[in-house]
Amino acid sequence: MTPEDFKKIGDTHRKKREAFPYVINVCTAAACVSLQSEKVKDELTSQVKEQGKKDVCRVSGTGCLGLCASGPLVTVNNEQALYGGVKPEDASDIVKNIEKKPIKRLEIPADMPFFARQTKIALEHCGKTDPEVIGDYLAMEGYEALYNCLTTMEPVEVIDMMVKSGLRGRGGGGYPVGLKWSTVHKAVGAKKYVICNADEGDPGAFMDRSMLESDPHSIIEGMAIAGYAVGASHGYVYIRGEYPLAIKRLKAAIRQAERQGFLGKNICETPFSFDIEIRLGAGAFVCGEETALIASIEGRRGTPRPRPPYPAQFGLWGHPTLINNVETFANISPIVRKGADYYASIGTERSKGTKVFALAGSIVNTGLIEVPMGITLRDIVFDIGGGILGGRKFKAVQTGGPSGGCIPDEYLDMKVDYESLAQVGSIMGSGGMIVMDETSCMVDVAKYFMDFCQSESCGKCAPCRVGTAQMYNLLNMISQGKATMHDMELLEELCDVVKNTSLCGLGQTAANPVLSTIRFFRDEYLAHINDKKCPAGVCTIEHKEVAVS
Amino acid sequence: MSSTVKIKTLTIDDRQVGAREDQTILEVARENGIKIPTLCYLKGLSPYGGCRMCIVEVAGSNKLLPSCMTAVEEGMVVSTQTEKIKKYRKSLLELYFSERNHVCSVCATNGYCELQSMAQKVEMTHVHFPYMYPHLEVDATHERFVLDHNRCIACTRCVRVCDEIEGAHTLDIKDRGINVRIITDLDQPWGESDTCTQCGKCVHVCPTGALIERGKSVGEMSKRKQLLPYLTKMREAHK
Amino acid sequence: MKKKLTLATLWLDGCSGCHMSLVDVDERLIDVAGIYDIVFSPLVDVKEFPEKVDVTLLEGAISTDEDVEMVKRVRRSTKTLIAFGDCAVTSNVPSMRNHFKVEDVFKRGYLETTPGNTIIPDERIPKLLEKAYPVHHFVHVDVFLQGCPPSADNIFYTLVEIAEGRTPELSKRARFG
């Protein structure tokens, strides 16, 4: 395949898209689908036909537009206007007004901070292309990065590019991507594997799902580039079975890529071959831990094993294996296309680029956002997120899911990067961000996450198996007003034991929600214990009324 | 041992020791008479890394590492008995005792139990975490053996010996977290197992009274500790 | 001659085996009697627990509301409280009822295993707690003396060490069971 051949593919698809002067895109990611966006799309299609605009207006499904709180979302004429809360009965008006000014009653201002303050790299195609049509992806420079890597770059040059970009693993750990790729590249092995970790399991997190539903080809392209860089010819996507739409779209995308020659033997007529298989997880949270994930792919019980050796040396079936998460892979082709320097110019000293966050909880603009590293929490919550629901008072923002912590208002002006979040006892995590207001009880929040950890602990190591269950029991007692200060001491002691002696990341971080809430909201714990009161009024305290004579 | 195996030197508890590069910290320590407590580890079975009793401190690592699964490295400085580790081992053992119903005085393995003697080793005088007192079953359907979940510590020695040495894979583990249980076949009563060969290896590698021979009373169930080393040695000899 | 210390021994939810083991100290009882005055015990006829006691050996788990009151009373009056034997240290055999409901335990104990009996005793006996607990669940314990029963040697050693003002090192000598 010559560069001219490749260019032709892109041009053909671009022309196809541009053949219609008017375009209506309907979000068909899970959040909008759950609000019946499919019906909206069908209605729009039939209205276009009815109103005789079939030849000038194209209706297509598209990936996540981000502002899930206002779904179903529809954009017209390449995002000239964005409509929210669209119902099937609005279809007729939308089609009628397609050549005219946007409809005021449905329009969401495109210059609102939610959109204006984002920098989209991993999500660059989300909402712009139809995830089920490879042509849309090809029209947006799709697979150009892979083609360029294969035809103009050596694997070490690709790795070097990742090193220079400063990209760090987006699954939560923040391990430098270039370093990991280079380790797998150097590892000696007859076979090597690339695994995409799509076992997203943090409560309140939906970044990976959205990306797979909205732009599956960018993940495939990222994986293929990674395969080329590290010398692997086989890849797996380990995705949780609870994501049927993402699985369906990914499957279709893999088939399309195979047919177009971007996966399979001799990709783009080069010696490089790479294929991708999907493996479904059965819902165990611990299978997001890389060694447990590998065990699960191998067909064994999904439990972790001690590291070292790391998968980079001893991974799937004992072969050197590269594991990155969905968002990491989504960043690869943009970095190759736009250059490492561009990516490294965004972000902070040690955390480069952007990060995708899933905003959830007591926040006005629930949804998916991508922001440059170094943005403050205040900007995310109050500017982009639109503040707290119902005008209530902000209390804390929880990052990193069950491994993370709750950050109070005094740190709202902190810059978001890997190091600063760790300093306040939380973690970047995979990008879940749950906002809590004054009606949330922090003991209850800690109890919720501990319940999650104890029921998701695999049971292999004693500290996590028994320790998390003990901690949950203690938190339960505290929340019911049955605990003493001695129980509080036991709880803090267990946090230390479980954190330092557990086998894998699940146990090692399980105490974080408790530790951070004790650190910043100790008063609330004491109120439950000493005064038998839940200040937020969430916990049911079994208290006896003292008779006043 | 092939002639290409390299020798590494490292320091364990201020002692210089030599080791083959394919050895673990635990193996080298034991060769040199340095005692590291273990519960899930058993020579002759694949390492598991689950009991956490064998954790050690390695200079330069901010994490405590399981010595049973950590390979030696040149110049490594290992500490096996620091105050911090001793404290954690004691807490871990207390968690074990709090988890199920380990009533030593009425156990067939009383006097021969590794959990019981571990309490002495790590100087655990009592359990200061709350006992959980779960309701657990005893499977006494097998004609020769009894599986008492009250006394199981989920070390999976039985599962591994059944799979790796006997090759039957009758025993396995089900469920997660605090609910993990040893099962026979597809969670059927042991007495109805089609695959159990009645070899009894599981009973003799079990560190506690969770697996015993039927009919043994309090303090009567000693375990044949030499069984596995003997089998492994004979198999090596006949390779 | 040194002033003698006062010793109390108490038998709550246990089988009295620990007290038997105390008697098994045999001829060394004479030495014990030289160091301690036994001021309260199932072995002596005193009804009220004294106001001040130097050492108390407390046998048995805490299983009833009366046990709870008693153990608190004992703790207030005792300088060195010894959890005496596995029931006191771990709740041991009495705890084997803990995963059953109290009413099921009563049914089993008074009805199913006693043919002809139709009555479960009520207010005339102390109220059973939901579970049997080790002593340190309710009060601070100074010394844990394990064993079911603790050996006579360990009992003698413990009493002598305390009398000498030392902390008995029992973790290596004694064991559960």
Side-chain angles (χ1 to χ4, degrees), chain A residues 199-399:
Chain A
D199 192 52
E200 183 174 55
D202 287 2
F206 48 89
M207 300 76 56
D208 296 353
R209 174 178 61 70
S210 236
M211 278 184 259
L212 285 164
E213 284 171 358
S214 306
D215 195 18
H217 285 288
S218 79
I219 318 296
I220 293 170
E221 187 177 5
M223 285 180 72
I225 293 171
Y228 175 67
V230 303
S233 58
H234 197 78
Y236 285 95
V237 180
Y238 189 88
I239 180 169
R240 55 192 315 219
E242 294 92 326
Y243 283 176
L245 188 59
I247 295 164
K248 185 184 130 203
R249 292 200 177 142
L250 183 63
K251 264 189 193 158
I254 290 172
R255 252 197 325 272
Q256 293 165 352
E258 281 169 351
R259 227 174 287 144
Q260 297 269 347
F262 296 113
L263 281 178
K265 285 218 161 14
N266 304 109
I267 294 171
C268 300
E269 293 162 25
T270 66
F272 176 65
S273 299
F274 189 77
D275 56 31
I276 293 178
E277 269 186 72
I278 295 179
R279 283 285 182 276
L280 299 189
F285 178 67
V286 75
C287 285
E289 196 281 338
E290 57 183 19
T291 60
L293 186 152
I294 287 173
S296 179
I297 292 183
E298 290 173 352
R300 295 185 288 118
R301 185 175 155 86
T303 55
R305 61 154 177 84
R307 302 173 304 177
Y310 287 89
Q313 297 132 27
F314 190 90
L316 192 59
W317 290 296
H319 300 291
T321 301
L322 173 77
I323 302 193
N324 279 132
N325 109 311
V326 173
E327 188 185 337
T328 312
F329 283 123
N331 275 303
I332 305 303
S333 88
I335 289 174
V336 173
R337 267 185 285 114
K338 294 175 181 169
D341 293 337
Y342 165 75
Y343 197 81
S345 70
I346 304 165
T348 64
E349 183 60 33
R350 293 178 64 188
S351 303
K352 300 293 183 198
T354 57
K355 178 78 193 86
V356 178
F357 289 105
L359 293 183
S362 179
I363 188 159
V364 175
N365 298 328
T366 319
L368 198 69
I369 58 163
E370 182 171 0
V371 288
M373 293 277 193
I375 190 171
T376 65
L377 281 171
R378 187 182 300 281
D379 283 347
I380 294 179
V381 175
F382 288 96
D383 207 16
I384 297 174
I388 308 300
L389 272 183
R392 286 194 290 265
K393 203 172 153 243
F394 171 89
K395 188 169 202 173
V397 54
Q398 210 277 349
T399 69

Side-chain angles (χ1 to χ4, degrees), chain A residues 284 301 306 308 455-463 465-466 469-470 473 490 493-494 496-497 500-503 508, chain B residues 48-50 52 63-64 66 69 87-88 91-92 95-96 98-99 128-130 132 153-154 173 175-178 180:
Chain A
R301 185 175 155 86
S455 61
E456 291 298 340
S457 164
C458 77
K460 179 170 177 174
C461 76
R465 179 179 78 227
V466 193
Q470 288 273 17
N473 287 348
L490 282 182
E493 186 190 342
L494 279 166
D496 177 56
V497 173
N500 284 297
T501 63
S502 287
L503 194 164
Q508 286 160 9
Chain B
Y48 188 58
R52 314 310 287 170
K63 282 190 178 146
L64 302 171
M69 286 186 86
K87 195 190 92 198
Y88 284 137
S91 296
L92 284 170
L95 286 175
Y96 272 113
S98 75
E99 183 185 14
H128 80 296
F129 300 122
M132 302 181 89
I153 58 167
I173 196 161
D175 287 350
R176 282 201 295 257
I178 201 79
V180 293

Side-chain angles (χ1 to χ4, degrees), chain A residues 401-452:
Chain A
S403 308
C406 295
I407 303 164
D409 56 358
E410 67 218 70
Y411 292 101
L412 270 176
D413 291 311
M414 190 184 76
K415 287 186 168 179
V416 172
D417 66 9
Y418 288 94
E419 279 71 29
S420 55
L421 284 168
Q423 261 172 23
V424 295
S426 190
I427 59 166
M428 174 73 78
S430 57
M433 214 175 244
I434 304 171
V435 179
M436 287 171 278
D437 65 40
E438 55 198 336
T439 61
S440 290
C441 165
M442 301 318 273
V443 176
D444 188 61
V445 168
K447 189 178 91 172
Y448 168 80
F449 281 111
M450 195 51 72
D451 190 19
F452 182 87

